[in-house]
Amino acid sequence: MSSTAASAPAVHATITIPGTNKTASLPLLSGTLGPQVADIRKLQAQAGIFTFDPGYGETASCESKITYIDGDEGVLLYRGYPITQLAEKSTFLEVAYLLLFGELPTEAQFKDFSHGITMHSMLHEQIRRFWEGFRRDAHPMAVLCGVVGAMSAFYPESVNINDPREREISAFRLIAKIPTITAWAYKYSIGQPFMYPRNDLSYAENFLYMMNAVPPEPYKKNPILERAMDRILILHADHEQNASTSTVRLAGSTGANPFACVAAGIAALWGPAHGGANEAVLKMLAEIGDKKHIKTFISEVKDKNSHTKLMGFGHRVYKNYDPRAKIMQQTCYEVLEELGIKDEPLLDLAMELEKIALEDDYFVSRKLYPNVDFYSGIILKAMGFPTTMFTPLFALARTTGWISQWMEMIADPQNRIGRPRQLYTGAPQRDYVDIARRG
Ligand code: CMC
């Protein structure tokens, strides 16, 4: 990747360290969009200090051309294209191509790409045996973590990360096989036979087929649900340097193989502050139970000592309505209508909760708005997914983003091992004391 931003900085910020004669001149880098970024790479050498940024909220850890978010305006772009346009007009596989290769494909490129993904959708038959080792009640995210990490045992050539062809093959394998792994994690939990992928179906439809079909029954396609599934995948496909993507990049910066890196990303996604939030939203709605309990719940959220959060609200970057949440809400109506669900108490409850929160000064002053997970759980529940499958579905979609970010990182000449520093506040150096003399 070219380092366009870093190549010709015209402006510098200056830091002077009080009590010393040390000064650092920090080049201010400009990207194509977004605020300027102070380049602190020479800070320690020039000024003898480094920076403190727990949670990395103020730190750009890499240069990237994949996804852009303007959190104040509620904008999300994949390779420059607004998420709303992609959700409306594109398909998940086309978006996958865009994220991986940087441009929308021509018809011929798309045909080749779809064929390449489709031809990798089966798992090695030996991988199937892993499931026998899992408990039936295992959380599917645990299964995903284990199986994806173990894929490197089947594709040992994937460790050749400096070979662009090997990197691409690994990316294809991950995108192609993750629906099969995810659907099998579900089938195993309910004791139904695994359904092998069908290459005559679209990416989203094939996933729905592997989730819902059973061998003795003919499978009935449903274009509305297929479209909804495809849209959910598009909305979750990438989100720049979030916790799981940064985990993939950090693991990848060491030279680890892509399957191990994506398994690390799956682990990071699992937490309720990240991908686990969609599951947590439904649990929260079930616990609230009725509109008449919303006020009490909101008071609990506002009480600092309760540690209760309004799940599906707030975001590290969005300080406005998450654009994905709006599309999710619309998709939610379409799915409920298609399924003939006229009255969904959870949706009514969610909408009332959103209304009350958006008028409450606690949420307004902190700029807390619904995020992508606020409505996704309601759609997925209506489509028949159990709550434990919500986060695996997020992982399925995000695999494309993770592997695109990993590919970009490996090809970037600026890539070096990720190694944050720390502000040490432990004991100063002291001498070892023999155990008999302690206490
Ligand atoms: N409910 C109540 N208060 C909240 C919430 C919430 N959902 N989110 C943030 N706050 C408060 C927080 O307590 C803090 O208040 P104060 O200034 O009084 O201490 C203030 O808002 C700023 O929050 P923060 O914790 O500094 O924000 P963050 O950027 O560290 O956290 C977040 C972002 C997404 C982890 C957080 O908003 C959260 O936990 N939300 C609920 C979980 C959720 O929905 N996660 C899905 C995120 S979108 C999908 C994804 O990326 O995976």
Side-chain angles (χ1 to χ4, degrees):
M1 194 178 77
S2 70
S3 60
T4 43
S7 52
V11 195
H12 289 67
T14 307
I15 288 190
T16 307
I17 311 301
T20 72
N21 57 0
K22 288 185 173 164
T23 300
S25 174
L26 310 177
L28 290 181
L29 310 179
S30 300
T32 22
L33 294 170
Q36 286 188 309
V37 171
D39 178 351
I40 58 166
R41 281 176 287 186
K42 301 238 165 70
L43 179 62
Q44 202 190 355
Q46 291 179 4
I49 61 166
F50 49 90
T51 55
F52 182 57
D53 184 19
Y56 312 118
E58 304 291 320
T59 300
S61 61
C62 61
E63 220 181 294
S64 181
K65 293 180 167 62
I66 301 178
T67 295
Y68 174 75
I69 302 174
D70 182 332
D72 292 327
E73 296 299 322
V75 169
L76 169 61
L77 311 175
Y78 291 167
R79 301 283 189 183
Y81 295 101
I83 190 68
T84 38
Q85 290 182 21
L86 294 170
E88 191 193 334
K89 298 178 181 167
S90 188
T91 61
F92 178 70
L93 265 198
E94 191 178 63
V95 167
Y97 183 98
L98 175 69
L99 289 171
L100 274 172
F101 301 114
E103 295 297 336
L104 287 168
T106 61
E107 272 184 43
Q109 287 168 332
F110 185 63
K111 208 169 148 214
D112 270 5
F113 180 66
S114 306
H115 181 76
I117 296 292
T118 308
M119 286 303 138
H120 283 103
S121 60
M122 276 199 309
L123 299 183
H124 191 296
E125 196 61 12
Q126 194 74 10
I127 293 184
R128 192 191 153 102
R129 296 220 190 156
F130 286 6
W131 266 266
E132 288 159 26
F134 291 118
R135 279 170 52 146
R136 291 267 172 199
D137 61 355
H139 195 290
M141 283 299 276
V143 176
L144 253 63
C145 251
V147 175
V148 170
M151 274 170 71
S152 45
F154 290 82
Y155 307 108
E157 63 284 3
S158 67
V159 300
N160 300 331
I161 59 157
N162 294 322
D163 179 342
R165 180 70 191 133
E166 288 299 344
R167 295 203 291 267
E168 196 174 291
I169 294 173
S170 295
F172 275 50
R173 284 193 169 124
L174 274 159
I175 296 170
K177 293 181 201 303
I178 192 73
T180 315
I181 297 171
T182 309
W184 285 14
Y186 171 61
K187 285 293 192 188
Y188 184 73
S189 73
I190 56 168
Q192 283 189 2
F194 294 151
M195 300 302 289
Y196 284 85
R198 265 181 55 185
N199 289 353
D200 61 317
L201 301 176
S202 74
Y203 191 86
E205 185 73 63
N206 173 49
F207 174 62
L208 290 175
Y209 163 79
M210 289 189 289
M211 285 288 297
N212 299 321
V214 285
E217 298 288 334
Y219 177 68
K220 283 198 205 93
K221 287 197 200 183
N222 182 327
I224 303 267
L225 296 189
E226 177 194 0
R227 184 70 196 122
M229 187 75 253
D230 199 67
R231 197 177 280 172
I232 291 168
L233 297 179
I234 292 174
L235 294 181
H236 286 92
D238 196 49
H239 214 225
E240 54 120 305
Q241 309 311 321
N242 54 79
S244 57
T245 302
S246 298
T247 303
V248 171
R249 279 188 178 256
L250 194 55
S253 76
T254 69
N257 74 75
F259 300 107
C261 297
V262 169
I266 293 171
L269 186 75
W270 195 349
H274 194 5
N278 48 18
E279 192 176 333
V281 168
L282 270 217
K283 278 194 192 132
M284 172 190 76
L285 292 175
E287 272 163 33
I288 298 173
D290 193 285
K291 285 185 197 171
K292 65 178 185 242
H293 301 138
I294 292 179
K295 288 225 157 78
T296 318
F297 175 75
I298 294 279
S299 309
E300 196 182 316
V301 168
K302 286 155 60 174
D303 175 2
K304 281 264 172 228
N305 300 319
S306 76
H307 298 294
T308 305
K309 286 216 160 157
L310 175 50
M311 299 312 284
F313 254 68
H315 198 274
R316 171 59 62 80
V317 184
Y318 292 119
K319 302 302 168 199
N320 199 329
Y321 217 100
D322 178 341
R324 302 168 302 171
K326 283 193 184 138
I327 306 168
M328 274 297 177
Q329 197 185 32
Q330 181 56 34
T331 309
C332 194
Y333 293 131
E334 285 170 23
V335 167
L336 294 181
E337 194 181 323
E338 167 62 19
L339 295 172
I341 303 173
K342 296 224 164 19
D343 189 24
E344 170 48 88
L346 285 182
L347 180 60
D348 290 349
L349 187 58
M351 285 175 63
E352 185 65 16
L353 188 56
E354 176 188 335
K355 189 168 160 286
I356 291 176
L358 290 180
E359 286 165 359
D360 190 305
D361 186 57
Y362 175 93
F363 299 94
V364 175
S365 62
R366 288 171 178 76
K367 298 187 177 169
L368 300 172
Y369 290 85
N371 60 50
V372 69
D373 289 322
F374 195 67
Y375 286 102
S376 64
I378 298 170
I379 308 178
L380 295 173
K381 180 174 176 283
M383 289 172 79
F385 290 97
T387 43
T388 51
M389 285 304 294
F390 294 178
T391 317
L393 256 160
F394 193 156
L396 190 175
R398 189 55 61 83
T399 294
T400 293
W402 289 329
I403 200 63
S404 303
Q405 298 267 353
W406 177 84
M407 299 253 284
E408 181 181 70
M409 182 190 72
I410 300 294
D412 182 355
Q414 297 181 91
N415 176 36
R416 59 205 285 249
I417 187 167
R419 199 340 183 152
R421 303 300 298 267
Q422 63 172 6
L423 172 63
Y424 177 70
T425 52
Q429 182 171 332
R430 47 189 169 164
D431 289 327
Y432 180 84
V433 180
D434 191 82
I435 193 163
R437 294 177 49 232
R438 284 176 223 159

